[in-house]
Amino acid sequence: MKRPAIPKEVIIEITGKCRLVCPYCTGPRTADVSLKDIKAALDEAADMGVKAIRITGGEPLIHPEIRTILAYARSKKFSLLINTAAENISKPLMNSLIANIDVALISLQGYDEKTNGTYTRSRLPFLDKIKNIFLLKAYLPTVWLATVITPTMAESFEKFLPLVKKINPAAWQLLRPISD
């Protein structure tokens, strides 16, 4: 009997909570997954021989156990990718990201304070987000950006280009909105 293929990557949504209120984001929003369940999922993936884990959410960085989750996943020798908006990152959390993550996929829905606030309803300073992106880029092997192509974004696409070029990510993913 032929052995089933091992997934190249397992995606674990650790929370549905998010500070942002993007109109194109899917729902419903779920509560935080328990640390016990996350560890069990990581153990099972390691036992299967999975090499890469993507931690996602909502916003995974607001999970109360995120630093423990990252360290535990790293102890299992996974290649770790995190999907994040890269907002409101404390110094201890940034240090944990730098120590444990291989790839950060960062949501970039605006090209300045106003457009970011319009697209995401974020109340956090856009400049802080950009600083976080550059910090992650300085220390992580790979940083990708992802932007959902809304009608407004499509109309202002050329205004994103200077910022994206300045960040110079390994990749810029342009995504279509997911409708219900």
Side-chain angles (χ1 to χ4, degrees):
M1 182 165 134
K2 186 176 177 183
R3 180 185 165 128
I6 297 170
K8 292 184 180 194
E9 176 183 86
V10 169
I11 300 170
I12 302 175
E13 182 174 313
I14 64 172
T15 185
K17 295 177 185 174
C18 186
R19 289 182 199 92
L20 305 181
V21 188
C22 304
Y24 46 78
C25 194
T26 59
R29 293 295 179 198
T30 57
D32 297 331
V33 176
S34 73
L35 180 59
K36 177 184 169 204
D37 289 344
I38 293 167
K39 284 183 171 183
L42 292 170
D43 291 342
E44 185 176 348
D47 291 345
M48 288 175 54
V50 171
K51 301 293 182 209
I53 297 290
R54 180 185 303 241
I55 306 289
T56 188
E59 172 54 69
L61 300 186
I62 63 176
H63 190 289
E65 301 286 344
I66 186 61
R67 291 172 37 201
T68 302
I69 293 164
L70 295 176
Y72 188 78
R74 177 54 82 200
S75 76
K76 296 289 183 178
K77 308 291 188 218
F78 291 116
S79 174
L80 290 176
L81 185 147
I82 194 158
N83 290 13
T84 180
E87 293 190 348
N88 201 30
I89 302 176
S90 67
K91 187 172 175 103
L93 179 54
M94 181 63 76
N95 289 338
S96 182
L97 291 169
I98 290 167
N100 294 297
I101 297 297
D102 299 295
V103 179
L105 174 58
I106 301 168
S107 173
L108 183 69
Q109 304 311 322
Y111 53 83
D112 61 15
E113 188 85 33
K114 183 179 178 191
T115 57
N116 185 63
T118 299
Y119 298 155
T120 66
R121 299 187 186 115
S122 176
R123 295 184 182 151
L124 299 170
F126 185 68
L127 186 56
D128 289 351
K129 174 187 183 96
I130 298 304
K131 288 177 184 177
N132 288 337
I133 292 171
F134 278 103
L135 265 172
L136 290 168
K137 192 165 184 313
Y139 290 99
L140 297 182
T142 307
V143 169
W144 298 329
L145 299 177
T147 304
V148 176
I149 304 174
T150 61
T152 306
M153 184 278 175
E155 292 170 6
S156 59
F157 179 80
E158 69 282 345
K159 294 180 180 176
F160 276 82
L161 293 176
L163 178 58
V164 171
K165 285 180 181 177
K166 187 172 188 175
I167 295 170
N168 192 25
W172 183 26
Q173 299 177 5
L174 299 174
L175 310 169
R176 66 177 174 79
I178 300 171
S179 58
D180 294 336

